[in-house]
Amino acid sequence: MRHRVVAAAPFLVAGLALGVANSMSNAFGSAYGPFTTTPGQGVRWLEYVSSWLGTPWAWALFAFGVGWFSRRLGPAALLATAGLMLAVLAYYLSDAVLGLNERLSVVEIQFWSVISLLVGPVMAVFGALAHRPQAWSLAPGLAAPAVMAYFGLRFPSGNSQIQPWAQGAVLGAAALLALALTVRAGRLGLSSLRHENAP
């Protein structure tokens, strides 16, 4: 039991960190937030971070990463869902502490928690399957860059000044991830053929 708690802790802490980081980058990077030093001028690098962390693909990628590193389907689904729900709670609690919201929005917390229940297990299973040492692992693995590319193209984030660069970075990262997964699958396929043809 203790071993399971220790193994789960990093993923749960990562979920909390995701929610807090998203909230804090919004608060401290905003050009019109409560911590803005020069009205109309935000902290540029935090604006980029905010534009990425506040997107559906970033949260979906978190669940995928949980699956990739935990590898086991059942635990991956549970940990990813729990991590996402903690991220949601941490995000809104951080917003309240930072003064971005006067009170907690229970409706929004419930809404995004339901989304976490739906997305978390699916992306976690894709991540766990993508880490399998077989060439077919490329198929579930491509779910991650596909989600990044879809939301990057369909729903570009950030203000008008950073949006083209933020979008380009997301699409570039998606392409690199897809390439890395494809190369990995190719190597696994070659390795499998060598073992089959070995005398």
Side-chain angles (χ1 to χ4, degrees):
M1 181 65 180
R2 183 179 178 182
H3 173 71
R4 291 180 181 178
V5 173
V6 171
F11 301 111
L12 301 180
V13 171
L16 287 170
L18 173 62
V20 173
N22 192 175
S23 170
M24 293 186 71
S25 62
N26 291 342
F28 292 98
S30 173
Y32 303 99
F35 303 99
T36 304
T37 54
T38 305
Q41 182 177 339
V43 180
R44 186 52 53 91
W45 71 271
L46 282 176
E47 288 182 317
Y48 278 101
V49 173
S50 174
S51 74
W52 293 323
L53 292 184
T55 57
W57 68 258
W59 292 58
L61 209 63
F62 167 82
F64 182 90
V66 172
W68 177 275
F69 288 107
S70 62
R71 302 185 186 187
R72 293 164 49 192
L73 298 181
L78 290 173
L79 285 173
T81 303
L84 283 176
M85 294 182 77
L86 282 173
V88 170
L89 187 59
Y91 175 84
Y92 285 103
L93 283 173
S94 178
D95 271 7
V97 170
L98 293 171
L100 299 180
N101 291 325
E102 294 182 1
R103 59 183 180 179
L104 287 176
S105 176
V106 177
V107 173
E108 289 189 13
I109 291 174
Q110 290 175 337
F111 174 78
W112 289 111
S113 294
V114 170
I115 297 297
S116 298
L117 286 170
L118 298 174
V119 174
V122 174
M123 291 303 296
V125 167
F126 280 144
L129 292 175
H131 204 165
R132 297 289 172 88
Q134 286 89 29
W136 58 260
S137 64
L138 175 63
L142 289 177
V147 167
M148 292 177 70
Y150 173 77
F151 283 102
L153 287 169
R154 190 74 183 272
F155 306 101
S157 58
N159 59 50
S160 58
Q161 293 179 324
I162 72 167
Q163 191 177 92
W165 296 101
Q167 182 185 45
V170 172
L171 296 178
L176 287 174
L177 179 56
L179 178 61
L181 290 168
T182 302
V183 170
R184 176 180 179 270
R187 289 177 176 174
L188 289 170
L190 288 174
S191 176
S192 177
L193 285 174
R194 287 171 186 164
H195 282 94
E196 289 177 3
N197 295 328

